[in-house]
Amino acid sequence: MTQKTIVIGSDHAGLELKNKIVVYLKELNYEVKDIGTHTKDSCDYPVIAKELSQLVANGSYPKGILICGTGLGMAITANKTKGIRAVTVSDTTSAKCSRSHNDSNVLCFGERIVGEYLAKDIVKIWLDTEFDGGRHSKRVNMIED
Ligand code: RB5
């Protein structure tokens, strides 16, 4: 069986939650590429978001997760890369619909916004939900155009 792969990144404000999510993803049997940051030193979230987005857009990884203080700057930056559909999520229903309706490929959330348990539930439902296709395909294609 091929192992599932995913790429993850954070800035300093998302570091602690990222480290917990990395452990959780491994428990879910994901091979995890952690592109950093790896210290509490202040860093710039656009650098991390751009690097991760390019890895997803070029097919190196099917999906990615970005964590900063709010999840906002990461998503704003990630969506500048063609082919990226990044969402900032702080509830499980939005996480699920972002996959089934929008085929989101980058999940963003904020360490200052969601707690560890909710973040894990968001990650699990986001990973487990398939894109519905059908009428949603046309709309997702319109985003790309
Ligand atoms: C860092 O202080 C904070 O601005 C960043 O983590 C993020 O929340 C930006 O959107």
Side-chain angles (χ1 to χ4, degrees):
M1 192 186 81
T2 345
Q3 201 173 17
K4 301 169 283 186
T5 60
I6 193 157
V7 57
I8 190 167
S10 77
D11 69 356
H12 56 288
L15 175 67
E16 285 185 19
L17 186 54
K18 170 171 69 71
N19 290 340
K20 290 171 182 164
I21 297 299
V22 167
V23 171
Y24 181 59
L25 288 166
K26 289 178 178 171
E27 286 170 9
L28 295 176
N29 201 31
Y30 277 81
E31 184 185 326
V32 184
K33 171 70 175 173
D34 181 355
I35 63 164
T37 188
H38 299 291
T39 75
K40 274 295 204 184
D41 296 341
S42 183
C43 65
D44 299 320
Y45 62 81
V47 175
I48 299 288
K50 183 177 179 184
E51 182 181 339
L52 183 140
S53 297
Q54 289 175 342
L55 289 170
V56 174
N58 73 17
S60 298
Y61 295 89
K63 290 195 189 98
I65 296 175
L66 287 166
I67 307 169
C68 60
T70 59
L72 298 174
M74 287 295 198
I76 291 168
T77 311
N79 280 315
K80 298 285 182 189
T81 298
K82 187 163 174 55
I84 294 302
R85 292 174 299 281
V87 288
T88 302
V89 162
S90 51
D91 68 278
T92 52
T93 305
S94 299
K96 184 176 183 180
C97 290
S98 82
R99 288 287 310 128
S100 58
H101 290 200
N102 313 115
D103 199 17
S104 61
N105 51 12
V106 174
L107 173 67
C108 308
F109 48 85
E111 181 176 322
R112 296 170 181 161
I113 308 297
V114 299
E116 177 187 348
Y117 285 18
L118 177 56
K120 287 177 178 173
D121 285 347
I122 286 169
V123 165
K124 180 83 166 73
I125 202 160
W126 186 74
L127 291 171
D128 288 350
T129 305
E130 296 294 330
F131 178 46
D132 276 352
R135 70 186 191 280
H136 301 296
S137 295
K138 177 183 146 208
R139 294 162 187 164
V140 169
N141 289 339
M142 289 170 78
I143 298 171
E144 297 308 312
D145 292 344

